[in-house]
Amino acid sequence: MAEFPQALSSLLTHAENTQIDQTLLPTRERFSIRLTVYCWRYLQKISEQIQTPIESLSAIQIKECIGTDIELLAGPQVDDHFVDWFSHLVTSSLKPLNAIALEEQVLINDLSLGTIIGWYTRKIVQ
């Protein structure tokens, strides 16, 4: 199994993974939560780096930052295709993150793991 580049390995702790698993949501939703959190944390990193609120980041800015992330690019199987794929994944995560932030009436940067889990839990119940 391929390993995540070092830049991604610290985006979700073991305790946070356990918290997500304890929701007992279906596998698909737990996977979605993990992806959303990974991307949210990565977007926080980009936002801080270029001093732009997450809500204002464009797909081009996201791809440029990913394409110049030395720590990410040092990964074993990171090439232009990975950068394109990961850029699309991170950009796509803005859709649920914007929905969660809107519902909670906070900025995306001010979300929490609990808020993200809660949103997915409510979504599955509806």
Side-chain angles (χ1 to χ4, degrees), residues 9 11-23 30 34 38 113 117:
S9 64
L11 295 178
L12 199 58
T13 67
H14 180 68
E16 291 168 331
N17 269 309
T18 300
Q19 186 178 350
I20 293 167
D21 286 339
Q22 289 174 343
T23 66
R30 288 181 293 169
R34 284 185 177 89
Y38 282 137
L113 176 62
I117 290 172

Side-chain angles (χ1 to χ4, degrees), residues 59-80:
I60 292 169
Q61 288 173 308
I62 292 168
K63 185 173 182 178
E64 285 175 357
C65 287
I66 290 171
T68 59
D69 184 337
I70 295 168
E71 194 176 353
L72 179 72
L73 296 174
Q77 296 178 342
V78 176
D79 59 12
D80 288 341

Side-chain angles (χ1 to χ4, degrees), residues 4-44:
F4 272 116
Q6 183 66 29
L8 303 179
S9 64
S10 64
L11 295 178
L12 199 58
T13 67
H14 180 68
E16 291 168 331
N17 269 309
T18 300
Q19 186 178 350
I20 293 167
D21 286 339
Q22 289 174 343
T23 66
L24 302 179
L25 290 171
T27 302
R28 179 179 177 171
E29 277 68 28
R30 288 181 293 169
F31 180 73
S32 294
I33 292 169
R34 284 185 177 89
L35 277 179
T36 301
V37 173
Y38 282 137
C39 293
W40 169 57
R41 297 244 170 94
Y42 201 83
L43 285 165
Q44 287 175 321

